[in-house]
Amino acid sequence: MENELARDFNLRSLLRFALPTVLMNLFVGCYYIVDGVCVARFVGTDALSAMNITYPTFFTALAISIMLATGGSAIVAKKWARGRIRMPGRISRR
């Protein structure tokens, strides 16, 4: 099994792998902007202040969870490819 990104690395292949993450981050950013405008307009400035105080905590927890999930899936995929673990529900190739 050969890594497709390592075989032919150029701007197009980089964008192919990175573009979904960039679009997701743009969507989440726009969501929080619209959410802040709606809260400030319909609930009040105290609620907007509370949201702005809690956002760094939420984003820190989100960043740590994404880091652990990405690293964990990479470790499992590496061990699975080497045959050290057997995935449940999969038929062995041996």
Side-chain angles (χ1 to χ4, degrees):
M1 179 182 349
E2 190 174 333
N3 184 355
E4 184 179 337
L5 185 60
R7 182 180 60 216
D8 184 30
F9 184 76
N10 54 27
L11 182 62
R12 182 174 182 215
S13 64
L14 178 65
L15 287 177
R16 184 175 146 217
F17 284 99
L19 193 61
T21 305
V22 170
L23 291 176
M24 185 227 23
N25 283 325
L26 286 173
F27 177 75
V28 169
C30 290
Y31 170 78
Y32 284 116
I33 290 171
V34 171
D35 190 36
V37 168
C38 290
V39 166
R41 185 166 188 163
F42 298 116
V43 180
T45 57
D46 289 340
L48 181 62
S49 298
M51 282 177 45
N52 287 329
I53 289 171
T54 58
Y55 274 161
T57 306
F58 171 73
F59 282 122
T60 301
L62 181 67
I64 290 171
S65 63
I66 289 172
M67 177 185 66
L68 293 175
T70 304
S73 64
I75 291 170
V76 168
K78 185 177 178 181
K79 288 185 177 184
W80 183 34
R82 290 184 178 169
R84 293 185 183 161
I85 60 172
R86 186 172 176 269
M87 298 300 285
R90 300 276 184 174
I91 299 173
S92 180
R93 289 184 279 187
R94 293 179 186 181

